Amino acid sequence: MEYDAYMSPEMMDEVRRDLKIKEKANGEIKDALAIERTSFANERTFLAYLRTALSLIIAGFSLHQFFKSEISVWLACILIPTGLYIGYKGYLKFVKKRAFIKRKREAYVPAKQMLALLKAEKAQEKKHKA
């Protein structure tokens, strides 16, 4: 570092300690935000499934309503159930992923809390030994 000449070794150690503390805090923030991004991505995916499902259902009804031919009836009979199926499968995937994300979120323990738990355990061990 080019500032080494201007700082005493004690100051450099203090700066390094502060940087390590800030780096740990930033890591915890990144982890929490990653969980939120995952949750939002799951919701966006569900909305994409719904958009596709509704488009197919509307296309099926529109074909049947406007053309009223035998082919449009058959296409409507294919598009509408396909749209319903895609919507249903999208909902099932959404619920499954949401439950998975919830379990991971509940299992996540930030480093600060983990450190406090470890210190408390050590303190308990010292009490029991004494």
Side-chain angles (χ1 to χ4, degrees):
M1 185 179 238
E2 58 189 73
Y3 299 107
D4 288 349
Y6 302 110
M7 288 190 195
S8 68
E10 294 84 20
M11 288 176 65
M12 287 298 295
D13 288 341
E14 186 177 334
V15 168
R16 285 188 185 112
R17 268 187 265 121
D18 288 344
L19 286 174
K20 284 182 183 180
I21 291 169
K22 287 179 183 178
E23 185 178 333
K24 286 180 184 177
N26 287 341
E28 290 177 13
I29 291 169
K30 286 178 186 177
D31 290 345
L33 291 175
I35 292 171
E36 290 303 314
R37 279 192 304 270
T38 304
S39 181
F40 291 144
N42 187 38
E43 291 173 10
R44 279 193 311 271
T45 303
F46 174 59
L47 292 173
Y49 272 103
L50 282 183
R51 184 178 56 239
T52 303
L54 286 173
S55 297
L56 289 171
I57 293 168
I58 291 170
F61 278 119
S62 298
L63 279 172
H64 177 62
Q65 196 68 18
F66 289 124
F67 296 109
K68 294 189 181 183
S69 66
E70 195 173 312
I71 294 173
S72 67
V73 171
W74 282 104
L75 281 173
C77 287
I78 293 170
L79 291 175
I80 294 170
T82 302
L84 291 171
Y85 177 76
I86 288 174
Y88 176 71
K89 290 302 274 188
Y91 176 73
L92 290 180
K93 283 186 176 189
F94 169 73
V95 169
K96 185 178 177 183
K97 288 288 183 189
R98 184 176 58 181
F100 176 76
I101 293 167
K102 185 179 178 185
R103 282 194 313 272
K104 291 298 181 180
R105 181 180 283 145
E106 289 170 355
Y108 174 71
V109 178
K112 286 180 186 177
Q113 289 178 354
M114 186 62 75
L115 225 83
L117 290 171
L118 290 173
K119 286 181 180 179
E121 284 180 12
K122 283 185 182 180
Q124 288 291 334
E125 288 176 8
K126 286 181 182 179
K127 280 185 179 180
H128 290 296
K129 288 181 181 179

